[in-house]
Amino acid sequence: MTIVFLMLGGAVIAFIFARSLFTLLFSMQNYGIHKERLRQLQRAGEGKPEPDTASQLVETLTKPIIRYILPKLKPIDTNKLEKELRLAGWDRYFDPSTYRAMNILLKVAGVVALLAIWPIEPVFAVVFALLFFFLFGFLLKNGVKNVKEVLFNEFPDFISIIQGYLMAGVPLTKAVEETIPYVGDAWKGLLKDFVMNCNLYSVPEAIEKLCDEVDVFEIREFFSLVKLNLEQGINIKECFEAQAEKITEMQTEAMMNKIGRRQTMTIVIQAPLFLCIFVVAGMPTFYSMMTFQTL
């Protein structure tokens, strides 16, 4: 009887953690719309903004671990983790401490799920445990990878727009500011920070900060060469024109990446279609065999 109660209790705990995790992850997708609506309410004076329930949930779940467990663990490179969270857009909910605490909490939930479900179905127990152990970190790494890919693919068009403004005699800071409405969401926040850093510091320092945030080799290389030319006193328009060949190579590579993804999608989609065709084609034969056995 005691074992049964432990199994039921473990299953309930695993379910609660799983529901909390997936609620948090799916709510991230609507975070931008939610925040924009809250800003509209604030401007219109229609009422107080509602509290961010996802952030409150993260804080509530991770507070004990941050207080009692994290101080006893080995320190990690929080700068790298903070950069990844910011690049993936997870900094709205997590800082390095809360992310580590949530990761530990999910691993504990994975162990509980493994112990609770193993007597019932070992395969499902292992699957649940693996999900709790690795899914959270995988989602962050995959989010960072996707953002970097978007930044790289949109970079040639972004540079082409800036070059148009520079050829018209517009200063770099103003050219970047005018380009912001025409770039994707992945670049908007980075470019706004770049314009602000140009006004607070200098253009070379702002370029260095942008390279540190983007962390894509080709983009860092491009801006590093631009920064070097600026420090040597070369005109900013000539700096960008000198990198025209590099931009052409990046455009070609971005196009090849798109073609590769589409080819992969066609292969992935074909497998379920063929499986459905085989199932539909085999249903009459299967029905005939079942009818023959009943006779």
Side-chain angles (χ1 to χ4, degrees), residues 165-213:
Y165 282 105
L166 294 177
M167 292 179 63
V170 179
L172 177 62
T173 305
K174 184 65 176 177
V176 173
E177 187 176 357
E178 294 294 331
T179 305
I180 291 176
Y182 305 104
V183 298
D185 293 336
W187 273 106
K188 277 184 168 60
L190 295 171
L191 297 185
K192 289 178 182 177
D193 292 340
F194 175 80
V195 172
M196 182 180 65
N197 290 330
C198 286
N199 295 327
L200 292 176
Y201 306 103
S202 64
V203 174
E205 288 180 288
I207 290 176
E208 185 175 351
K209 292 179 181 295
L210 178 63
C211 290
D212 186 59
E213 287 292 327

Side-chain angles (χ1 to χ4, degrees), residues 65-226:
I65 297 178
I66 293 174
R67 179 177 299 177
Y68 299 110
I69 298 179
L70 286 187
K72 300 179 182 179
L73 298 179
K74 182 180 178 181
I76 64 170
D77 185 4
T78 56
N79 291 329
K80 179 181 178 181
L81 179 57
E82 185 176 5
K83 187 188 303 181
E84 290 180 344
L85 292 171
R86 185 164 54 249
L87 195 61
W90 285 30
D91 58 324
R92 302 161 179 167
Y93 297 93
F94 300 101
D95 57 28
S97 297
T98 55
Y99 173 82
R100 292 185 68 193
M102 180 62 73
N103 205 7
I104 294 171
L105 191 63
L106 290 173
K107 285 180 170 56
V108 173
V111 173
V112 173
L114 180 65
L115 297 176
I117 305 175
W118 182 271
I120 304 172
E121 182 55 60
V123 176
F124 286 143
V126 173
V127 170
F128 270 99
L130 291 176
L131 286 176
F132 279 113
F133 263 78
F134 300 110
L135 181 62
F136 195 58
F138 170 78
L139 289 175
L140 176 62
K141 298 296 183 183
N142 189 61
V144 172
K145 178 183 176 183
N146 291 338
V147 171
K148 286 184 177 182
E149 187 174 335
V150 171
L151 290 175
F152 177 82
N153 290 336
E154 294 181 354
F155 183 69
D157 295 334
F158 153 61
I159 293 299
S160 299
I161 298 173
I162 287 184
Q163 282 182 312
Y165 282 105
L166 294 177
M167 292 179 63
V170 179
L172 177 62
T173 305
K174 184 65 176 177
V176 173
E177 187 176 357
E178 294 294 331
T179 305
I180 291 176
Y182 305 104
V183 298
D185 293 336
W187 273 106
K188 277 184 168 60
L190 295 171
L191 297 185
K192 289 178 182 177
D193 292 340
F194 175 80
V195 172
M196 182 180 65
N197 290 330
C198 286
N199 295 327
L200 292 176
Y201 306 103
S202 64
V203 174
E205 288 180 288
I207 290 176
E208 185 175 351
K209 292 179 181 295
L210 178 63
C211 290
D212 186 59
E213 287 292 327
V214 173
D215 199 22
V216 177
F217 174 76
E218 292 82 358
I219 299 177
R220 290 170 62 96
E221 182 183 25
F222 175 88
F223 277 119
S224 297
L225 292 174
V226 171

Side-chain angles (χ1 to χ4, degrees), residues 264-282:
T264 303
M265 286 300 298
T266 56
I267 295 173
V268 171
I269 292 174
Q270 284 177 3
L273 290 177
F274 278 121
L275 181 61
C276 292
I277 292 173
F278 288 140
V279 170
V280 172

